[in-house]
Amino acid sequence: RKEVEQDPGPFNVPEGATVAFNCTYSNSASQSFFWYRQDCRKEPKLLMSVYSSGNEDGRFTAQLNRASQYISLLIRDSKLSDSATYLCVVNKDNFNKFYFGSGTKLNVKP
Amino acid sequence: GAVVSQHPSRVICKSGTSVKIECRSLDFQATTMFWYRQFPKQSLMLMATSNEGSKATYEQGVEKDKFLINHASLTLSTLTVTSAHPEDSSFYICSATDGSYEQYFGPGTRLTVT
């Protein structure tokens, strides 16, 4: 079983829509959770960390559910510039191992 | 923010030759560097974890004699793909951490083996 699983999408949404992605992880000992964004042929960039209490950064909200072992990312009021692949990343072993999901592709259309 | 560079950004080599990729942390000391490989439309796959001054830890299925990693200083790690074959063609990305939770990624190296 993969460490981290994501729906590959693509999610095709109109501008202004709200879209949500989920990601499940297999190891209950996982310690830290992140969402990264990767544009085509570019390196991943940190979007936000995910805390148990949930966290919000502008139009982006991340949630962690340890009991069900999943994390989520909600994007409100989608912009064309949000089009990218969103990678769920899970860490264990005190930051010595990061596991990436396969990514969820988002296409925001005018 | 912290900057990680990779060189070269793109390389084309013939089958059987070796290619060296450099990863540098430009404005911080990287306690740990990671090497990833990404095939088209797939996610990043961790190849190895590299700590300065010690041997790299390779993920299962990654041949350490084929992918040589040297982490000689706190700002430089190198990945050498030895005797490259067309199936080694991929996007190789390094990342570095200063001991905090965040990884800083290099811009990647696109390797094509003909």
Side-chain angles (χ1 to χ4, degrees), chain B residues 3-114:
Chain B
V3 178
V4 175
S5 71
Q6 261 184 262
H7 177 80
S9 59
R10 188 182 295 266
V11 58
I12 300 172
C13 71
K14 292 188 176 180
S15 190
T17 61
S18 295
V19 175
K20 181 186 281 188
I21 303 170
E22 289 187 352
C23 177
R24 292 181 186 271
S25 57
L26 298 185
D27 51 3
F28 68 100
Q29 292 187 326
T31 52
T32 305
M33 287 183 167
F34 305 89
W35 286 97
Y36 296 87
R37 181 166 53 182
Q38 186 175 33
F39 292 107
K41 301 194 178 190
Q42 295 187 27
S43 188
L44 280 75
M45 295 298 296
L46 179 65
M47 299 175 67
T49 303
S50 167
N51 291 295
E52 183 262 342
S54 60
K55 290 184 179 179
T57 302
Y58 289 81
E59 293 299 297
Q60 193 172 11
V62 178
E63 298 175 57
K64 63 179 181 179
D65 294 330
K66 180 168 180 65
F67 298 100
L68 301 178
I69 291 173
N70 185 285
H71 194 158
S73 76
L74 283 171
T75 59
L76 173 65
S77 176
T78 60
L79 167 68
T80 301
V81 183
T82 63
S83 188
H85 291 285
E87 57 265 31
D88 297 324
S89 299
S90 187
F91 191 45
Y92 291 86
I93 307 178
C94 73
S95 72
T97 176
D98 57 4
S100 66
Y101 66 84
E102 185 167 355
Q103 289 186 84
Y104 303 97
F105 285 87
T109 296
R110 194 160 298 280
L111 171 64
T112 303
V113 184
T114 61

